[in-house]
């Protein structure tokens, strides 16, 4: 008796593995210029803090693009990352392991701006 499509499933799995290997490490795409990425959970509190932080970053460094949640964010996350054109990334702030209380997860905007300027110069 012939098998029922097992070979086909194996071929599909091999193609899926090959497709995964083509993506850059960390799931981030290569950027042409330095970019600041803010990843935050979709809760209202996180959104308000991300908006205030992105506004401060845009005022201090208007030439630098700021992206908020370019991909689906992780639960409970609040991170600010600088992506460089050479493919490297620098974590400016992470609030994942901070708290309770919840307010410890969010940075003061001036702290992040100061850290950003340190890594840009």
């Amino acid at each position: 008796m012939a098998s029922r499509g097992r070979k086909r499933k194996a071929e599909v799995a091999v193609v899926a593995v090959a497709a995964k290997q083509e993506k850059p490490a960390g799931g981030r795409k290569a950027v042409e210029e330095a970019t600041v990425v803010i990843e935050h959970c979709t809760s209202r509190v996180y959104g308000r803090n991300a908006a205030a932080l992105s506004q401060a970053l845009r005022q201090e460094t208007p030439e630098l693009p700021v992206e908020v949640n370019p991909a689906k964010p992780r639960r409970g996350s609040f991170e600010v990352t600088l992506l460089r054109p050479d493919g490297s990334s620098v974590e400016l702030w992470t609030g994942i392991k901070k708290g309770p209380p919840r307010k410890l997860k969010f940075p003061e905007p001036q702290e992040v701006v100061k850290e950003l300027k340190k890594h840009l110069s």
Side-chain angles (χ1 to χ4, degrees):
M1 188 164 157
S3 63
R4 296 186 182 185
R6 291 182 189 224
K7 288 184 179 179
R8 180 157 176 83
K9 287 181 183 178
E11 289 174 9
V12 171
V14 169
V15 171
V17 169
K20 283 184 181 179
Q21 291 174 351
E22 292 176 8
K23 293 182 181 178
R28 295 189 173 117
K29 59 183 178 184
V31 292
E32 293 178 10
E33 61 180 333
T35 306
V36 177
V37 176
I38 300 174
E39 176 190 4
H40 70 88
C41 179
T42 54
S43 169
R44 274 187 292 181
V45 175
Y46 289 80
R48 274 187 252 134
N49 287 298
L53 181 60
S54 66
Q55 184 179 18
L57 288 169
R58 286 182 178 124
Q59 285 177 351
E60 292 293 325
T61 56
E63 72 281 355
L64 203 62
V66 178
E67 294 182 9
V68 179
N69 281 346
K72 184 178 179 189
R74 294 169 288 169
R75 182 178 171 267
S77 67
F78 196 93
E79 290 189 332
V80 183
T81 307
L82 172 66
L83 300 179
R84 294 186 172 148
D86 63 0
S88 64
S89 65
V90 177
E91 199 167 84
L92 302 175
W93 173 267
T94 182
I96 290 180
K97 296 189 179 189
K98 300 200 189 281
R102 186 184 294 181
K103 69 178 183 177
L104 295 178
K105 285 187 170 282
F106 311 114
E108 290 296 322
Q110 295 310 315
E111 288 180 35
V112 177
V113 169
K114 184 171 70 174
E115 191 73 18
L116 175 65
K117 287 184 178 180
K118 182 174 81 174
H119 286 287
L120 286 177
S121 56

